[in-house]
Amino acid sequence: MNKTQKTLRRLAVLACLSLVGPLQSTRADEPAAPAFSAKDKMIVETVLRLKSFDIQSSAPAKAAMLRYLRAQPGSEQYFELIQRFKLTELSPELLTLAIENAGETSGVRAAEVLKSIGQLPALQAVLREESAEKAVAAAELLGYVAGDQTVDILRPVVADAELPAAVRAAAVSALGRRTDGQHSLLKLAAEGKLAESLSFAAANALFASSEDAIRSQAAKYFELPATADSQPLPPLAELVKRRGDVEAGATVFAKTGTCSNCHKVRGQGKEVGPDLSEIGSKLSREAMYVSILDPSAAVSHNYETYTLLTVDGDTVTGLLVSETDQAVTLKTAEGISRTVDTDDIEILKKQSQSLMPQDLQRLLTVQQLVDLVEYTMTLKKS
Ligand code: HEC
């Protein structure tokens, strides 16, 4: 293209942009109504035809582009154009998209785009947010996209005792997906800096390593918990490949595994923990194993365990049912609600441990565990 042609194109674009006078009053960063007009579409198409149009220098073109993209969040074009034009205005939306779809391709893609427009710190900040669920999602995503910054970002999370166990365990698993991360986990273990509650996550990450040296080093610090047949548990990466018997699994759930002492499935069982009637739609096979084998790494925010010490020296541990100025009610692992007057409470403390027992696999053989998971995976939304 020669100079005159270029100038003509520029003029055409400018003419086209001047048509959008009334739209210029719309703020570019306005979050409401993701509608775009035919004019917006025309502007976007024009901009896309120009090889070197600097959208940052044209507020109306940018506003049109933002409206156009906000109407199709998560589409391939959405990701592509945000990246190409470095539209940091859309980073809050990208961040939400990433966190809400962390377990899916679109969530990881959103996180990649965030990184490519220099917004990795926004994702990093979520690690320390109040919501453990969001923080877990951020740790998982960082494991996929942070590249050579992964260890620097996640190692402090693993070592920070103030953060919820679930977030730290997610950081361990994310580190465990990379060789440099595996080395940093081994180093933490060697220095005695890896909390006991993270052993399960670390053991699984390290025993699944492709490097012999890492696996044999790991055996010095960790072992996977024993099952009822005194066999050590196979690593998660191996368990998820096995298939079991659904009917046998249903029996394990109701009897050997004691699951129905705390969980309802389609009206059957006690309700201490969450109803599991649709759990197969919520969790992946791997997450199901983690929920059963390492419950503290998966505490959901509605089910935090509290321990209360009375002035008489009694302790009650259970889920917080209610807390008022007058009294606190906890529901114990046996499903019994205990109410204690505030005046009688010495200490009320949130526990990082799940109320769900940590060693349920001891009741089960490896095959029973596999059957149990096969059964729970069939519990889907109808
Ligand atoms: C003493 C009570 C208790 C027993 C026994 C128990 N659970 Fe749980 N379970 C809980 C509580 C409380 C939670 C929620 C808090 C948490 O995530 O740790 C939970 C959470 C879960 C979750 C995650 C649910 C979600 O929505 O993410 C699964 C899956 C699960 N349990 C399966 C089982 C299975 C399978 C068994 C039997 C092997 C079992 N549980 C035995 C109390 C129990």
Side-chain angles (χ1 to χ4, degrees):
M1 201 190 300
N2 65 33
K3 227 176 169 182
T4 334
Q5 275 173 319
K6 264 192 192 162
T7 318
L8 280 174
R9 281 235 166 154
R10 288 266 148 78
L11 283 173
V13 175
L14 289 178
C16 160
L17 295 179
S18 67
L19 286 173
V20 297
L23 293 177
Q24 289 181 19
S25 57
T26 316
R27 285 204 2 247
D29 56 353
E30 203 164 67
F36 67 92
S37 65
K39 263 181 211 155
D40 289 340
K41 189 157 186 277
M42 189 175 73
I43 294 170
V44 169
E45 281 166 0
T46 312
V47 167
L48 293 185
R49 271 198 299 275
L50 292 172
K51 281 233 161 49
S52 59
F53 181 72
D54 177 16
I55 201 160
Q56 305 295 353
S57 69
S58 165
K62 190 169 178 179
M65 177 71 81
L66 292 176
R67 280 189 297 273
Y68 178 75
L69 291 178
R70 280 191 171 116
Q72 45 163 327
S75 69
E76 192 40 48
Q77 197 182 32
Y78 178 81
F79 293 132
E80 212 182 286
L81 296 183
I82 294 178
Q83 203 160 3
R84 174 158 152 205
F85 294 111
K86 301 236 176 309
L87 298 169
T88 49
E89 289 81 358
L90 291 177
S91 44
E93 279 108 318
L94 263 183
L95 186 61
T96 308
L97 205 67
I99 296 291
E100 283 177 359
N101 302 288
E104 290 158 45
T105 312
S106 63
V108 177
R109 180 84 170 98
E112 275 167 357
V113 176
L114 267 176
K115 185 191 179 194
S116 76
I117 61 172
Q119 299 291 308
L120 206 58
L123 188 56
Q124 211 177 324
V126 181
L127 288 170
R128 285 163 193 284
E129 257 184 37
E130 185 81 30
S131 154
E133 256 172 335
K134 286 187 186 166
V136 164
E140 285 171 2
L141 290 167
L142 285 160
Y144 288 117
V145 307
D148 58 7
Q149 296 176 57
T150 313
V151 173
D152 286 345
I153 294 175
L154 292 180
R155 202 185 127 108
V157 173
V158 172
D160 187 344
E162 300 285 302
L163 291 173
V167 179
R168 299 167 71 200
V172 167
S173 304
L175 280 175
R177 276 197 292 270
R178 309 168 48 87
T179 311
D180 58 354
Q182 292 168 1
H183 283 294
S184 85
L185 288 175
L186 278 175
K187 190 152 175 277
L188 282 170
E191 292 164 355
K193 287 187 192 151
L194 201 74
E196 184 65 31
S197 59
L198 300 173
S199 298
F200 183 80
N204 273 296
L206 296 172
F207 288 141
S209 171
S210 56
E211 285 187 27
D212 294 344
I214 290 182
R215 287 200 308 277
S216 61
Q217 283 253 35
K220 279 201 260 171
Y221 306 110
F222 306 103
E223 62 182 3
L224 286 164
T227 52
D229 39 6
S230 341
Q231 297 292 316
L233 206 60
L236 275 181
E238 205 178 298
L239 279 172
V240 294
K241 290 186 202 143
R242 302 205 190 170
R243 291 296 172 269
D245 183 277
V246 174
E247 229 169 278
T251 310
V252 173
F253 190 91
K255 299 197 175 127
T256 341
T258 69
C259 315
S260 52
N261 288 350
C262 291
H263 293 287
K264 264 202 170 122
V265 169
R266 303 189 178 129
Q268 298 284 319
K270 264 203 216 169
E271 196 161 9
V272 178
D275 188 312
L276 298 183
S277 303
E278 296 181 345
I279 195 68
S281 303
K282 179 184 166 190
L283 300 181
S284 67
R285 196 173 283 264
E286 183 176 342
M288 192 74 77
Y289 275 108
V290 173
S291 289
I292 297 169
L293 298 170
D294 196 16
S296 293
V299 186
S300 24
H301 59 273
N302 292 331
Y303 291 92
E304 279 160 345
T305 310
Y306 283 77
T307 294
L308 166 167
L309 181 68
T310 68
V311 280
D312 301 337
D314 280 347
T315 52
V316 183
T317 295
L319 304 169
L320 187 66
V321 175
S322 71
E323 183 178 13
T324 65
D325 288 346
Q326 285 81 43
V328 169
T329 303
L330 296 183
K331 192 178 197 178
T332 68
E334 293 75 37
I336 297 162
S337 291
R338 301 273 311 272
T339 301
V340 181
D341 285 351
T342 316
D343 291 343
D344 296 335
I345 298 175
E346 183 84 45
I347 300 169
L348 178 66
K349 191 170 177 284
K350 188 163 114 181
Q351 302 290 338
S352 59
Q353 294 256 317
S354 170
L355 192 63
M356 183 160 152
Q358 305 295 302
D359 51 2
L360 282 170
Q361 87 291 332
R362 284 184 198 285
L363 304 174
L364 311 173
T365 63
V366 175
Q367 189 55 49
Q368 283 174 324
L369 175 66
V370 173
D371 292 342
L372 174 66
V373 167
E374 199 67 62
Y375 163 68
T376 54
M377 290 308 292
T378 65
L379 302 174
K380 304 239 185 210
K381 271 188 196 141
S382 49

